[in-house]
Amino acid sequence: IGGRCTHLRAQLGKGALEGTALTCPWHGSQFEVTTGKLLRWVQEPLLIRIFGALVPPFLRRGVPSYEVKVEDGQVHVKI
């Protein structure tokens, strides 16, 4: 998936991965790593959660996802 959160552009590589759910390190939004789909919108802290609720639904989106395959021990990512 893409490396930046769609909300405040936080580096998702610094977030926590639990199963296939990746949590944004800045405010707690979660993304499905196999599809990029948004699982949960802004959660933390409270002030950001309040302002996050004002963001129109069409802007609450997942991150880009990329097709990946492994051949002969090499990882290929289609971008």
Side-chain angles (χ1 to χ4, degrees):
I1 61 170
R4 297 281 181 174
C5 177
T6 55
H7 180 230
L8 293 175
R9 309 287 297 152
Q11 292 181 16
L12 292 176
K14 295 184 181 207
L17 180 64
E18 187 174 324
T20 59
L22 179 61
T23 302
C24 174
W26 286 2
H27 61 275
S29 288
Q30 287 187 326
F31 302 91
E32 168 61 49
V33 296
T34 61
T35 64
K37 179 182 175 186
L38 177 66
L39 298 174
R40 184 177 74 180
W41 185 238
V42 176
Q43 296 298 308
E44 302 167 6
L46 178 61
L47 185 59
I48 290 177
R49 188 170 57 211
I50 291 167
F51 286 116
L54 301 175
V55 174
F58 73 90
L59 291 176
R60 299 179 197 189
R61 62 188 184 279
V63 293
S65 63
Y66 305 98
E67 183 181 331
V68 177
K69 65 181 175 179
V70 179
E71 288 181 347
D72 301 322
Q74 292 190 347
V75 177
H76 298 270
V77 180
K78 185 176 183 178
I79 56 171

